[in-house]
Every structure is written in C-alpha cells, then in structure tokens.
Amino acid sequence: MSSFFVKTPGFCDDCGSILPRLREKGGVTCYVCARVFSEEEAFRTSKVETCINFNSQEAKKRNIKEENKHDEEDDDGPIVERICPKCGNNRMSYATLQLRSADEGQTVFYTCTSCKFKESENS
C-alpha cells in the first residue's frame, strides 16, 4: 500500500496525524486510524537533545541579593517626589482609588519609601 504522506518521524504514515508520546512498554497507536507502530517505525530518525545551563555560584548570589533588595524596597506603587511629613524623605510611592461618587475626584494614598508613613489626599 502506498502512502500519500511523506514519512516523517512522529507522524502517522497512513493518515498524517501526529502520533502520541512513546510509552514505557508496547508500541504507539495512532489516535485517528488506530494503526500500531513499533517504536522504531514511529520515531525511526527522531533525535532529542537537551542542554541544561546551570548558573554559576556568583550569579546565584547576585540573584539572591537582587531579590532581597526588591523585597526591602517593597513599594506600594509608582514613586513620586513628595516630602514625607514624618521623616522628611523626598520619595513616596502612591496608589489611587475611587472611594467617593463617580463625579468626584479619586483618593490618592501615599507611602514613604523610607519610614513607610502613610497619608491620603482627596483630589
């Protein structure tokens, strides 16, 4: 029987559908036409290559420091230049919420990046 499909590893020679993964035991059965292939028939020229790149110890330490630095900053939003009334720091993060009716302005919540003092402003 001649096939209309190009014989490509991982695809059924009869119907052209993709073949399921190879199991530990037994052959491979096509989902569509139910033809059973041996592993040699189904994956005759297939080759799987993997490459695992491990980070160096220095890169790992650098990543941990960056994660810890980010955790320490843990800002509540974008940062603006605004003087904290408690400690005098000139950087505060902010978040906005619509707490009042839709025809009124939103409420802006500021958080000091240094002492974590919080204040709000109705705009």
Side-chain angles (χ1 to χ4, degrees):
M1 175 177 168
S2 66
S3 176
F4 294 105
F5 298 99
V6 176
K7 295 185 179 192
T8 306
F11 291 88
C12 180
D13 295 341
D14 293 340
C15 69
S17 70
I18 193 166
L19 294 174
R21 294 186 320 184
L22 187 62
R23 298 187 188 139
E24 288 184 31
K25 292 183 179 180
V28 176
T29 304
C30 178
Y31 289 130
V32 177
C33 67
R35 179 176 168 192
V36 179
F37 294 88
S38 69
E39 63 182 76
E40 291 83 22
E41 288 177 310
F43 303 102
R44 57 193 156 273
T45 59
S46 293
K47 183 178 179 182
V48 177
E49 292 183 17
T50 58
C51 178
I52 300 172
N53 295 314
F54 294 99
N55 289 337
S56 65
Q57 289 295 328
E58 293 81 25
K60 182 178 178 182
K61 289 176 186 175
R62 187 172 48 245
N63 287 341
I64 290 172
K65 285 181 185 177
E66 288 176 7
E67 287 175 5
N68 291 341
K69 182 180 177 184
H70 181 67
D71 290 342
E72 290 171 4
E73 292 175 358
D74 198 20
D75 298 321
D76 292 331
I79 297 175
V80 294
E81 289 186 17
R82 183 178 172 100
I83 297 175
C84 174
K86 185 175 179 184
C87 71
N89 181 30
N90 67 344
R91 293 179 52 180
M92 295 185 85
S93 63
Y94 73 93
T96 61
L97 285 174
Q98 185 69 39
L99 297 178
R100 297 171 289 155
S101 63
D103 62 337
E104 296 183 31
Q106 58 190 356
T107 304
V108 182
F109 296 94
Y110 292 98
T111 305
C112 177
T113 58
S114 179
C115 70
K116 304 296 182 198
F117 175 77
K118 295 183 185 277
E119 68 176 346
S120 64
E121 177 183 284
N122 292 320
S123 61

